[in-house]
Amino acid sequence: MVKLIGSPIVIIAIIIVLMVSFSFFFLTESEEFGPVFIQEPDDVIFPLDSDEKKVVMHCEARGNPPPTYSWYINGTEVDAEADYRYSFIDGNLIITNASEVTDYGKYQCKAENSFGTVLSRDGTLQFAYLGAFSGKARGGVSVREGQGVVLMCTPPPHSPGKKIIYSWVFNEFPSFVAEDSRRFISQDTGNLYISKVQPSDVGSYICLVKNTVTNARVLSPPTPLTLKTDGVMGEYEPKIEVHFPTSVLAAKGVTVRLECFALGNPVPTITWRKINGNIPKKARLRKSQAVLEIPNIQLEDSGTYECKAENPRGGTAFKGHLQVYTLPQWVRMINDTQMDSGEKLQWECKATGRPRPTYRWLRNGLPLTSQGRMEIVNGELSIHKVQQADSGMYQCVAENKYGAVYSNAELKILASAPVFIPNPIRVIATLGKDVSLECKPRASPKPRIAWKRGDRRIQPNKRIMLLRNNTLRIVNASRADEGNYVCRAENQLGSAELTAILSFVLPEAMRVELTPARVEVTVGESVVLSCKATHDTSLDVAFQWFFNQKPINFQQDGGHFEYIQTVRVRQSSTVDLMIRSILLKHAGKYGCRAQTSADTVFTEAELLVRGPPGPPGVVIVEEITDTTATLSWTRGLDNHSPISTYNVQARSPFSLGWQTVKTDPVTGDMESAIAVELNPWVEYEFRVVATNAIGTGDPSAPSRAVRTKEAVPSVAPANVSGGNGRRHELVISWEPVSEEFQNGEGFGYIVAFRANGTRGWKEKMVTSADSTTYKYRDETFPPLTPFEVKVGVYNNKGDGPFSSVVVIHSAEGEPREAPSDVRAYSISSSEIRVTWKGYEVSYWKDMEQEESGKKQRTVKNETSMVLTGLEGNSLYRITVKAFNSIGHGPATAAVTAKTRKTPPAQPPANLIWIQEGNNVSLSWDPVKAKDNESDVIGYMVSSLPFTAVTLAHFCTYIIEVRALSEGGDGAVSSQIRLVTSSGTLFFSL
Ligand SMILES: *[C@@H]1O[C@H](CO)[C@@H](O)[C@H](O)[C@H]1NC(C)=O
Ligand SMILES: *[C@@H]1O[C@H](CO)[C@@H](O)[C@H](O)[C@H]1NC(C)=O
């Protein structure tokens, strides 16, 4: 706030501002209040085996002065002096070397300051642990086949019971007993039940106990299960061996598991029902029906549940009651309350819960009972005529046997002598109007009020009234009312007086002027409106700006508006409103309101915004031909600048969005136009945009879609070409004409061609608009004949233009001649070499059909190839054809060749060797070729890893022998190993 020229009023105003902000500061920083919990102790499960043997119970409260804390275990205060294991850090209680024996219990924290004391809710400290099984061997269990058996787990000490999981190991870890209709593990006791023992059950059983809090696992000693040999147990009726308790209590929202399992032969089946109702839909049967699991249990799930075990021998049932409880929950809590002494306090708290909660009240942590001015009925507390001594922290506790909830509040009894801030006050009013003088001291208890003028007490009359809220009201004020008025306030604690100095200004003394009163600006420009108020020099004036009668919010309006405070000069004050980057929506009435304590005046200015034209109104297609559309529309807003031209835009399925279409010039005073050069038989939408000196506006809404009339096609196919194809074919192709240019229904192509040098065109119709090729077949013209070709278009309206003429050759012919000089030679028992002059080689066994043979193609013009993968000692027939992209030429006459006989299958046998130094003599039995085998022409001795005979010192040689034949290498002999000391190894055979 900038005030350059002061006056008494201004100074007072500044003082008020300072005091208000000071007292606000005072309130937030230094307001004093009783303790309020931020954190209360939680239930804690402490794993005894954790490394850090320190339990922390948390508690924290706000308060001013800061609260101090103490702790209670089972209701007895913790004395940290007496027991070194306890220490306090802030509000928290830390217990070192915690153990179940000494520390299990309910913990409650107390926070206290000079305004009172509050007790926290209870937090239970529990310990999680799992002892070890005694190592004592367990006696075996011996039963007859068919009998039922229970193997006891007898777990070691453990806690908490609900976090323990039991399973059984069969014979050896990790082989677990699978639960099924015959076998069941109770998660209450850990025992394993087998309803009907089978021989496969014989073995040793180990109970595995796991604590899910500590993750500890322990294994029991094994219990051997054996079968008695004195016979098999006959059938017997079911006996329920595991069942849930007769009375089950569960907290609302938890998952309840009811167990039921029976021994019997045959194995009993278990069924469940709820007496007088249905099993809840959300319930699930687990472990072959032995467990009924009800998730998220609700009050309506309470009731009697029955499980029944049946087998052909009989049946038996068990019933138990499930009861659901809920912890108390607040419906209505108590709140901090301040009151004057002598008033009546009434607090009510209310909670739901099952069983229904009962209520207790505490003041500063101590129980309250009805007595004297205090009355307690359940959740209602009343204190008649409160006194200073009733101040303090109050707690309403709602509890049932499952838990308690606390609602806390502070009662403050106010006590202060009356104070007036500010004082004195100056009131300036307009002559002839009504004036109100307020008297609102801070005081508690409520003070008595009296108004005086000078020394005289004011007697209310028709013109001067004392309202119920202690305000003095003067109707139709006159000069005679000017002067000092005093309001006196008094209570038990003291008194104070407020002086109100009343003065007047003449009516109509204030005027306000807004300039310019009417202004035209263009979109994007800025403007400043100046609001000047002329008023009594003694008055302070406040301004407010309005747009179309609504106060302008300077923060919200996107930075378009700025309030500019200007200087006050004697009797006039001025403020400016800057409107930046004006948009069309900123056009309208701007109001300025000037207000003093005596008067309020208001005036308005009008802002016109020039902008591009608004969208024209409805566009109508009046008439349509094959290439033109006559359109009309209605004028839109000109936004204060005359419309100079209109543009017509069109959109069709073939255009990329909206495109301007050709029209005669359309000036701003016209409201119709003819769009020309449209394509025939195309569906168009039209819209219009208006332009003025400032710019082009938004387009109108599109017209309805209309189709131009049909016309003869006018566009010939592009890129007419062709060639290739099969023998005797002339292939002609082109780019199809898009639907946009088909100009009507029944569109197709006319293909015209003639052999070069001939006269008449042959014409063929192609009736599909999507076709892109035409094939003409005629055996009479030779391959690669040149043709002149052109392609034209037509539709129902008539024929359109032809493309220009191009020359296209007909297809080439296939090779005319077979390769010459084909020969074939046998290479081995599986290979034949074929030679020729010039392609595809076909070959087949003499005994078989040509069609069943195989083909192999040469690369380019190679004139020999090796055929592989053949059968030994077989006659093959072979032909060769030339081929190209069109097809094959004729085949040569078949030539024949016979593969050689296969090499001997018999390896050289009875290898014998004699080694003398580096000399080795080798011998073997000769190989005799069979009739269907090639004759042996020699032998090959190989020594591995090298075939050479000169080798390094001390080497191991692997030596093998095989026969050689025309058909290839024969089978290899068994290997012999030789070690030499040095030098070269010589063979003698
Ligand atoms: C607290 O009370 C419970 C239940 O009566 C008792 O088991 C436990 O030992 C007590 N704890 C202490 C620390 O006295
Ligand atoms: C306490 O305050 C809350 C909200 O401030 C209100 O809903 C509730 O009714 C109050 N309780 C009482 C007893 O006045």
Side-chain angles (χ1 to χ4, degrees), residues 767-839:
T767 53
S768 162
D770 301 328
S771 297
T772 60
T773 53
Y774 175 76
K775 286 180 188 161
Y776 175 69
R777 193 171 168 80
D778 185 342
E779 310 247 328
T780 60
F781 58 80
L784 289 176
T785 307
F787 281 87
E788 283 186 318
V789 176
K790 59 184 183 178
V791 181
V793 288
Y794 71 93
N795 65 15
N796 289 349
K797 281 274 176 182
D799 291 357
F802 274 101
S803 68
S804 46
V805 173
V806 296
V807 173
I808 298 172
H809 288 84
S810 67
E812 59 179 333
E814 59 275 79
R816 307 311 282 284
E817 289 175 14
S820 57
D821 206 7
V822 178
R823 291 156 202 243
Y825 313 90
S826 171
I827 301 176
S828 70
S829 65
S830 64
E831 295 166 315
I832 290 172
R833 177 178 295 283
V834 189
T835 66
W836 62 90
K837 293 245 158 68
Y839 324 159

Coordinates of all heavy atoms in Angstrom, one line a residue, residues 767-839:
T767 N -14.0 -53.3 -68.2 CA -15.2 -52.7 -67.5 C -14.9 -52.3 -66.1 O -15.7 -51.7 -65.4 CB -16.4 -53.6 -67.6 OG1 -16.0 -54.9 -67.1 CG2 -16.9 -53.7 -69.0
S768 N -13.8 -52.8 -65.5 CA -13.6 -52.5 -64.1 C -12.7 -51.2 -63.9 O -11.7 -51.1 -64.5 CB -12.9 -53.7 -63.4 OG -12.3 -53.2 -62.2
A769 N -13.2 -50.3 -63.1 CA -12.5 -49.1 -62.9 C -11.2 -49.3 -62.2 O -10.3 -48.4 -62.3 CB -13.3 -48.1 -62.1
D770 N -11.0 -50.4 -61.5 CA -9.8 -50.7 -60.8 C -8.7 -51.4 -61.6 O -7.6 -51.6 -61.1 CB -10.1 -51.5 -59.5 CG -11.1 -50.8 -58.6 OD1 -11.1 -49.6 -58.6 OD2 -11.9 -51.5 -58.0
S771 N -9.1 -51.9 -62.8 CA -8.2 -52.7 -63.6 C -6.9 -51.9 -63.9 O -7.0 -50.6 -64.1 CB -8.8 -53.1 -64.9 OG -9.9 -53.9 -64.6
T772 N -5.8 -52.6 -64.0 CA -4.6 -51.9 -64.4 C -3.8 -52.6 -65.5 O -2.8 -52.1 -66.0 CB -3.6 -51.9 -63.2 OG1 -3.3 -53.2 -62.8 CG2 -4.2 -51.1 -62.0
T773 N -4.3 -53.8 -66.0 CA -3.7 -54.4 -67.1 C -4.7 -55.1 -68.0 O -5.8 -55.3 -67.6 CB -2.7 -55.6 -66.6 OG1 -3.5 -56.4 -65.8 CG2 -1.5 -55.1 -65.9
Y774 N -4.2 -55.3 -69.2 CA -5.0 -56.0 -70.2 C -4.0 -56.9 -71.0 O -2.9 -56.5 -71.3 CB -5.7 -55.1 -71.2 CG -6.5 -55.9 -72.2 CD1 -7.7 -56.5 -71.9 CD2 -5.9 -55.9 -73.5 CE1 -8.3 -57.3 -72.9 CE2 -6.6 -56.7 -74.5 CZ -7.8 -57.3 -74.2 OH -8.4 -58.1 -75.2
K775 N -4.4 -58.2 -71.1 CA -3.5 -59.1 -71.9 C -4.2 -59.6 -73.2 O -5.4 -60.1 -73.1 CB -3.2 -60.4 -71.0 CG -2.3 -60.1 -69.9 CD -2.0 -61.3 -69.1 CE -1.2 -60.9 -67.8 NZ -1.3 -61.9 -66.8
Y776 N -3.5 -59.4 -74.2 CA -4.1 -59.8 -75.5 C -3.3 -61.0 -76.0 O -2.0 -61.0 -75.9 CB -3.9 -58.6 -76.5 CG -4.4 -59.0 -77.9 CD1 -5.7 -59.3 -78.2 CD2 -3.4 -59.1 -78.9 CE1 -6.1 -59.6 -79.5 CE2 -3.8 -59.4 -80.2 CZ -5.1 -59.7 -80.5 OH -5.5 -60.1 -81.8
R777 N -4.0 -62.0 -76.4 CA -3.3 -63.3 -76.8 C -3.6 -63.6 -78.3 O -4.8 -63.6 -78.7 CB -3.8 -64.4 -75.9 CG -2.9 -65.6 -76.0 CD -3.3 -66.7 -74.9 NE -2.6 -67.9 -75.2 CZ -1.4 -68.2 -74.9 NH1 -0.7 -67.3 -74.3 NH2 -0.8 -69.3 -75.3
D778 N -2.6 -63.8 -79.0 CA -2.8 -64.1 -80.5 C -1.6 -64.9 -80.9 O -0.4 -64.4 -80.8 CB -2.9 -62.8 -81.2 CG -3.2 -63.0 -82.7 OD1 -3.0 -64.2 -83.2 OD2 -3.6 -62.0 -83.4
E779 N -1.8 -66.1 -81.4 CA -0.7 -67.0 -81.8 C -0.1 -66.7 -83.1 O 0.9 -67.2 -83.5 CB -1.3 -68.5 -81.9 CG -2.1 -68.9 -80.7 CD -1.5 -70.0 -79.9 OE1 -0.8 -70.8 -80.4 OE2 -1.6 -70.0 -78.6
T780 N -0.8 -65.7 -83.8 CA -0.3 -65.5 -85.1 C 0.9 -64.5 -85.2 O 1.7 -64.5 -86.1 CB -1.4 -64.9 -86.0 OG1 -1.8 -63.7 -85.4 CG2 -2.6 -65.8 -86.1
F781 N 1.1 -63.7 -84.2 CA 2.2 -62.8 -84.3 C 3.4 -63.3 -83.6 O 3.3 -64.0 -82.5 CB 1.9 -61.4 -83.9 CG 1.4 -61.2 -82.5 CD1 2.3 -61.2 -81.4 CD2 0.0 -61.0 -82.2 CE1 1.8 -61.0 -80.2 CE2 -0.5 -60.9 -81.0 CZ 0.4 -60.8 -79.9
P782 N 4.6 -63.1 -84.1 CA 5.8 -63.7 -83.5 C 6.2 -63.0 -82.2 O 5.7 -61.9 -82.0 CB 6.9 -63.4 -84.6 CG 6.3 -62.3 -85.5 CD 4.8 -62.3 -85.3
P783 N 7.1 -63.6 -81.4 CA 7.5 -63.0 -80.2 C 8.2 -61.7 -80.5 O 8.7 -61.5 -81.5 CB 8.6 -64.0 -79.6 CG 8.3 -65.3 -80.3 CD 7.7 -65.0 -81.6
L784 N 8.1 -60.8 -79.5 CA 8.7 -59.5 -79.5 C 8.3 -58.6 -80.7 O 9.0 -57.9 -81.2 CB 10.3 -59.6 -79.5 CG 10.8 -60.1 -78.1 CD1 12.3 -60.4 -78.2 CD2 10.5 -59.2 -77.0
T785 N 7.0 -58.8 -81.0 CA 6.4 -57.9 -82.1 C 6.1 -56.5 -81.5 O 5.5 -56.5 -80.4 CB 5.1 -58.5 -82.6 OG1 5.3 -59.8 -83.0 CG2 4.6 -57.6 -83.8
P786 N 6.5 -55.4 -82.1 CA 6.2 -54.1 -81.5 C 4.7 -53.7 -81.9 O 4.3 -54.0 -83.0 CB 7.2 -53.2 -82.2 CG 7.6 -53.9 -83.4 CD 7.5 -55.4 -83.2
F787 N 4.0 -53.2 -80.8 CA 2.6 -52.7 -81.0 C 2.6 -51.3 -80.6 O 3.2 -50.8 -79.7 CB 1.7 -53.5 -80.1 CG 1.3 -54.9 -80.7 CD1 2.1 -56.0 -80.4 CD2 0.2 -55.0 -81.4 CE1 1.8 -57.2 -80.8 CE2 -0.1 -56.3 -81.9 CZ 0.6 -57.4 -81.6
E788 N 1.7 -50.5 -81.3 CA 1.3 -49.1 -80.9 C 0.1 -49.3 -79.9 O -0.8 -50.0 -80.3 CB 0.9 -48.3 -82.0 CG 2.1 -47.7 -82.8 CD 1.7 -46.8 -83.9 OE1 0.7 -47.0 -84.5 OE2 2.4 -45.7 -84.0
V789 N 0.1 -48.7 -78.8 CA -0.9 -48.9 -77.8 C -1.4 -47.6 -77.2 O -0.6 -46.7 -77.0 CB -0.4 -49.8 -76.6 CG1 -1.5 -49.9 -75.5 CG2 0.0 -51.2 -77.1
K790 N -2.7 -47.4 -77.0 CA -3.2 -46.2 -76.2 C -4.4 -46.7 -75.4 O -5.1 -47.7 -75.8 CB -3.6 -45.1 -77.2 CG -4.7 -45.5 -78.2 CD -4.9 -44.3 -79.1 CE -6.1 -44.7 -80.1 NZ -6.4 -43.6 -81.0
V791 N -4.6 -46.1 -74.2 CA -5.7 -46.5 -73.4 C -6.6 -45.3 -73.1 O -6.1 -44.2 -72.8 CB -5.2 -47.1 -72.0 CG1 -6.3 -47.5 -71.1 CG2 -4.2 -48.2 -72.3
G792 N -7.9 -45.5 -73.3 CA -8.9 -44.4 -73.1 C -9.8 -44.7 -72.0 O -9.7 -45.8 -71.4
V793 N -10.7 -43.8 -71.7 CA -11.7 -44.0 -70.6 C -13.1 -43.7 -71.1 O -13.3 -43.0 -72.1 CB -11.4 -43.0 -69.4 CG1 -10.1 -43.5 -68.7 CG2 -11.2 -41.6 -69.9
Y794 N -14.1 -44.3 -70.3 CA -15.5 -44.0 -70.6 C -16.3 -44.2 -69.4 O -15.8 -44.8 -68.4 CB -16.0 -45.0 -71.7 CG -16.1 -46.4 -71.2 CD1 -17.4 -46.9 -70.7 CD2 -15.0 -47.3 -71.2 CE1 -17.5 -48.2 -70.2 CE2 -15.2 -48.6 -70.7 CZ -16.4 -49.0 -70.2 OH -16.6 -50.3 -69.7
N795 N -17.5 -43.6 -69.3 CA -18.5 -43.9 -68.3 C -19.9 -43.8 -69.0 O -19.9 -43.7 -70.2 CB -18.3 -43.0 -67.1 CG -18.6 -41.5 -67.4 OD1 -19.2 -41.2 -68.4 ND2 -18.2 -40.7 -66.5
N796 N -20.9 -43.9 -68.1 CA -22.3 -43.9 -68.7 C -22.6 -42.7 -69.6 O -23.5 -42.7 -70.4 CB -23.3 -44.0 -67.6 CG -23.3 -45.4 -66.9 OD1 -22.6 -46.3 -67.5 ND2 -23.9 -45.6 -65.8
K797 N -21.8 -41.6 -69.3 CA -22.1 -40.4 -70.0 C -21.4 -40.4 -71.4 O -21.8 -39.6 -72.3 CB -21.6 -39.2 -69.2 CG -22.5 -38.8 -68.1 CD -23.5 -37.8 -68.7 CE -24.6 -37.4 -67.6 NZ -25.6 -36.6 -68.2
G798 N -20.4 -41.2 -71.6 CA -19.8 -41.3 -72.9 C -18.3 -41.6 -72.8 O -17.8 -41.9 -71.7
D799 N -17.6 -41.4 -73.9 CA -16.1 -41.8 -73.9 C -15.3 -40.5 -73.6 O -15.6 -39.4 -74.1 CB -15.7 -42.3 -75.3 CG -16.4 -43.6 -75.6 OD1 -17.0 -44.2 -74.7 OD2 -16.2 -44.1 -76.7
G800 N -14.2 -40.7 -72.9 CA -13.3 -39.6 -72.6 C -12.1 -39.7 -73.5 O -12.0 -40.5 -74.5
P801 N -11.0 -39.0 -73.1 CA -9.8 -39.0 -73.9 C -9.0 -40.3 -73.8 O -9.1 -41.1 -72.9 CB -9.0 -37.8 -73.3 CG -9.5 -37.7 -71.9 CD -10.9 -38.2 -71.9
F802 N -8.1 -40.5 -74.9 CA -7.1 -41.6 -74.8 C -5.8 -41.0 -74.3 O -5.5 -39.8 -74.5 CB -6.9 -42.1 -76.3 CG -7.9 -43.2 -76.6 CD1 -9.0 -42.9 -77.4 CD2 -7.7 -44.5 -76.2 CE1 -9.9 -43.9 -77.8 CE2 -8.6 -45.5 -76.6 CZ -9.7 -45.2 -77.4
S803 N -5.0 -41.9 -73.8 CA -3.6 -41.5 -73.5 C -2.9 -41.3 -74.8 O -3.4 -41.7 -75.9 CB -3.0 -42.6 -72.7 OG -2.8 -43.8 -73.5
S804 N -1.6 -40.8 -74.7 CA -0.9 -40.8 -75.9 C -0.4 -42.2 -76.3 O -0.4 -43.1 -75.5 CB 0.3 -39.8 -75.8 OG 0.9 -40.1 -74.5
V805 N 0.1 -42.3 -77.5 CA 0.4 -43.7 -78.0 C 1.8 -44.1 -77.6 O 2.7 -43.3 -77.6 CB 0.3 -43.7 -79.6 CG1 0.8 -45.0 -80.2 CG2 -1.1 -43.4 -80.0
V806 N 1.9 -45.3 -77.1 CA 3.3 -45.8 -76.7 C 3.5 -47.1 -77.5 O 2.5 -47.7 -78.0 CB 3.4 -46.1 -75.2 CG1 3.3 -44.8 -74.5 CG2 2.4 -47.1 -74.8
V807 N 4.7 -47.5 -77.6 CA 5.0 -48.8 -78.3 C 5.4 -49.8 -77.3 O 6.2 -49.6 -76.4 CB 6.2 -48.6 -79.3 CG1 6.6 -50.0 -79.9 CG2 5.8 -47.6 -80.4
I808 N 4.7 -51.0 -77.4 CA 4.9 -52.1 -76.4 C 5.2 -53.3 -77.2 O 4.5 -53.6 -78.2 CB 3.7 -52.3 -75.5 CG1 3.4 -51.0 -74.7 CG2 3.8 -53.5 -74.6 CD1 2.1 -51.0 -74.0
H809 N 6.2 -54.2 -76.7 CA 6.5 -55.4 -77.4 C 5.7 -56.6 -76.8 O 5.6 -56.6 -75.6 CB 8.0 -55.7 -77.4 CG 8.8 -54.7 -78.2 ND1 9.2 -53.5 -77.8 CD2 9.2 -54.9 -79.5 CE1 9.8 -52.9 -78.8 NE2 9.9 -53.7 -79.8
S810 N 5.4 -57.5 -77.7 CA 4.8 -58.7 -77.2 C 5.8 -59.6 -76.5 O 7.0 -59.3 -76.6 CB 4.1 -59.5 -78.3 OG 5.1 -60.0 -79.2
A811 N 5.4 -60.7 -75.9 CA 6.3 -61.5 -75.1 C 7.4 -62.2 -75.9 O 7.1 -62.4 -77.1 CB 5.5 -62.5 -74.3
E812 N 8.5 -62.5 -75.4 CA 9.5 -63.2 -76.1 C 9.1 -64.7 -76.1 O 8.3 -65.1 -75.3 CB 10.9 -63.0 -75.5 CG 11.0 -63.5 -74.0 CD 12.4 -63.3 -73.4 OE1 13.3 -63.3 -74.2 OE2 12.5 -63.1 -72.2
G813 N 9.8 -65.5 -77.0 CA 9.5 -67.0 -77.0 C 10.5 -67.7 -76.1 O 11.4 -67.1 -75.6
E814 N 10.2 -69.0 -75.8 CA 11.1 -69.8 -75.0 C 12.2 -70.3 -75.9 O 12.2 -70.2 -77.1 CB 10.4 -70.9 -74.3 CG 9.7 -71.9 -75.2 CD 8.3 -71.5 -75.6 OE1 8.3 -70.6 -76.5 OE2 7.3 -71.9 -75.1
P815 N 13.3 -70.8 -75.2 CA 14.5 -71.3 -76.1 C 13.9 -72.3 -77.1 O 13.0 -73.1 -76.8 CB 15.4 -72.0 -75.0 CG 15.0 -71.3 -73.7 CD 13.6 -71.0 -73.8
R816 N 14.5 -72.3 -78.3 CA 13.9 -73.1 -79.4 C 14.7 -74.5 -79.4 O 14.2 -75.4 -80.0 CB 14.1 -72.5 -80.7 CG 13.5 -71.1 -80.8 CD 12.0 -71.1 -80.2 NE 11.0 -71.6 -81.1 CZ 10.5 -71.0 -82.1 NH1 10.9 -69.8 -82.5 NH2 9.5 -71.5 -82.8
E817 N 15.9 -74.5 -78.9 CA 16.7 -75.7 -79.2 C 17.2 -76.3 -77.9 O 17.4 -75.7 -76.9 CB 18.0 -75.3 -80.0 CG 17.6 -75.0 -81.4 CD 18.8 -74.5 -82.2 OE1 19.9 -74.7 -81.7 OE2 18.6 -73.9 -83.3
A818 N 17.4 -77.7 -77.9 CA 18.0 -78.4 -76.8 C 19.5 -78.2 -76.8 O 20.1 -77.9 -77.8 CB 17.6 -79.9 -76.9
P819 N 20.1 -78.3 -75.6 CA 21.6 -78.2 -75.6 C 22.1 -79.4 -76.4 O 21.5 -80.4 -76.6 CB 21.9 -78.4 -74.1 CG 20.6 -78.3 -73.4 CD 19.5 -78.6 -74.3
S820 N 23.3 -79.2 -76.9 CA 23.9 -80.3 -77.7 C 25.0 -80.9 -76.9 O 25.5 -80.4 -75.9 CB 24.4 -79.7 -79.0 OG 25.3 -78.6 -78.6
D821 N 25.4 -82.1 -77.4 CA 26.6 -82.8 -76.9 C 26.5 -83.1 -75.4 O 27.4 -82.8 -74.7 CB 27.8 -81.9 -77.2 CG 29.0 -82.8 -77.4 OD1 28.9 -84.0 -77.4 OD2 30.1 -82.2 -77.4
V822 N 25.4 -83.7 -75.0 CA 25.3 -84.1 -73.6 C 26.0 -85.4 -73.3 O 25.8 -86.4 -74.1 CB 23.8 -84.2 -73.2 CG1 23.7 -84.6 -71.7 CG2 23.1 -82.9 -73.4
R823 N 26.8 -85.4 -72.3 CA 27.5 -86.7 -71.9 C 27.5 -86.8 -70.4 O 27.4 -85.8 -69.7 CB 29.0 -86.6 -72.3 CG 29.2 -86.7 -73.8 CD 30.6 -86.0 -74.1 NE 30.5 -85.6 -75.5 CZ 31.4 -86.1 -76.5 NH1 32.3 -87.0 -76.1 NH2 31.3 -85.6 -77.7
A824 N 27.6 -88.1 -70.0 CA 27.6 -88.3 -68.5 C 28.7 -89.3 -68.2 O 28.9 -90.3 -69.0 CB 26.2 -88.9 -68.1
Y825 N 29.4 -89.1 -67.1 CA 30.5 -90.1 -66.6 C 30.3 -90.4 -65.2 O 29.9 -89.5 -64.4 CB 31.8 -89.4 -66.8 CG 32.1 -88.7 -68.1 CD1 31.8 -87.4 -68.2 CD2 32.6 -89.4 -69.1 CE1 32.0 -86.7 -69.4 CE2 32.9 -88.7 -70.3 CZ 32.5 -87.4 -70.5 OH 32.8 -86.7 -71.6
S826 N 30.5 -91.6 -64.9 CA 30.4 -92.0 -63.5 C 31.7 -91.6 -62.8 O 32.7 -91.7 -63.3 CB 30.2 -93.5 -63.4 OG 30.3 -93.9 -62.1
I827 N 31.5 -91.1 -61.5 CA 32.7 -90.6 -60.8 C 32.9 -91.6 -59.6 O 34.0 -92.0 -59.3 CB 32.5 -89.2 -60.2 CG1 32.2 -88.2 -61.3 CG2 33.7 -88.8 -59.4 CD1 31.9 -86.8 -60.8
S828 N 31.9 -91.9 -58.9 CA 32.0 -92.9 -57.8 C 30.7 -93.6 -57.7 O 29.8 -93.5 -58.6 CB 32.3 -92.1 -56.5 OG 31.1 -91.4 -56.1
S829 N 30.5 -94.3 -56.6 CA 29.3 -95.1 -56.4 C 28.1 -94.2 -56.2 O 26.9 -94.6 -56.3 CB 29.4 -96.1 -55.3 OG 29.5 -95.3 -54.0
S830 N 28.3 -92.9 -55.9 CA 27.2 -92.0 -55.6 C 27.2 -90.8 -56.5 O 26.4 -89.9 -56.3 CB 27.1 -91.6 -54.1 OG 28.3 -90.8 -53.8
E831 N 28.1 -90.6 -57.4 CA 28.2 -89.4 -58.2 C 28.3 -89.7 -59.7 O 29.0 -90.7 -60.1 CB 29.4 -88.6 -57.8 CG 29.3 -88.1 -56.3 CD 30.7 -87.6 -55.8 OE1 31.7 -88.3 -56.0 OE2 30.7 -86.5 -55.2
I832 N 27.7 -88.8 -60.5 CA 27.9 -88.9 -62.0 C 28.1 -87.5 -62.5 O 27.5 -86.5 -62.0 CB 26.6 -89.4 -62.7 CG1 26.4 -90.9 -62.3 CG2 26.6 -89.2 -64.2 CD1 25.1 -91.5 -62.8
R833 N 29.1 -87.3 -63.4 CA 29.3 -86.0 -64.0 C 28.6 -85.9 -65.3 O 28.6 -86.8 -66.1 CB 30.8 -85.7 -64.2 CG 31.1 -84.3 -64.9 CD 32.5 -84.1 -65.1 NE 33.2 -83.9 -63.8 CZ 33.1 -82.7 -63.1 NH1 32.4 -81.7 -63.5 NH2 33.8 -82.7 -61.9
V834 N 27.9 -84.8 -65.6 CA 27.1 -84.6 -66.8 C 27.7 -83.4 -67.5 O 28.0 -82.4 -66.9 CB 25.6 -84.3 -66.6 CG1 24.9 -84.3 -67.9 CG2 25.1 -85.3 -65.6
T835 N 28.0 -83.5 -68.8 CA 28.4 -82.3 -69.6 C 27.5 -82.0 -70.7 O 26.8 -83.0 -71.2 CB 29.8 -82.4 -70.1 OG1 29.9 -83.4 -71.0 CG2 30.8 -82.7 -68.9
W836 N 27.4 -80.8 -71.2 CA 26.5 -80.5 -72.4 C 26.9 -79.1 -72.9 O 27.8 -78.4 -72.2 CB 25.0 -80.5 -72.0 CG 24.7 -79.5 -71.0 CD1 24.3 -78.2 -71.2 CD2 24.8 -79.6 -69.6 NE1 24.1 -77.5 -70.0 CE2 24.4 -78.4 -69.0 CE3 25.1 -80.7 -68.7 CZ2 24.4 -78.2 -67.6 CZ3 25.1 -80.4 -67.4 CH2 24.7 -79.2 -66.8
K837 N 26.3 -78.6 -73.9 CA 26.5 -77.3 -74.3 C 25.3 -76.5 -73.9 O 24.3 -76.5 -74.6 CB 26.8 -77.2 -75.8 CG 28.1 -77.9 -76.2 CD 29.1 -76.9 -76.8 CE 30.5 -77.4 -76.8 NZ 30.8 -78.5 -77.7
G838 N 25.2 -76.1 -73.0 CA 24.2 -75.0 -72.8 C 23.2 -75.3 -71.7 O 22.8 -76.2 -71.3
Y839 N 22.1 -76.6 -68.4 CA 20.9 -76.0 -68.2 C 20.1 -76.8 -67.3 O 20.6 -77.1 -66.3 CB 20.4 -75.5 -69.4 CG 21.3 -74.9 -70.5 CD1 20.8 -74.8 -71.7 CD2 22.5 -74.4 -70.2 CE1 21.5 -74.2 -72.8 CE2 23.3 -73.8 -71.2 CZ 22.8 -73.7 -72.5 OH 23.4 -73.1 -73.5

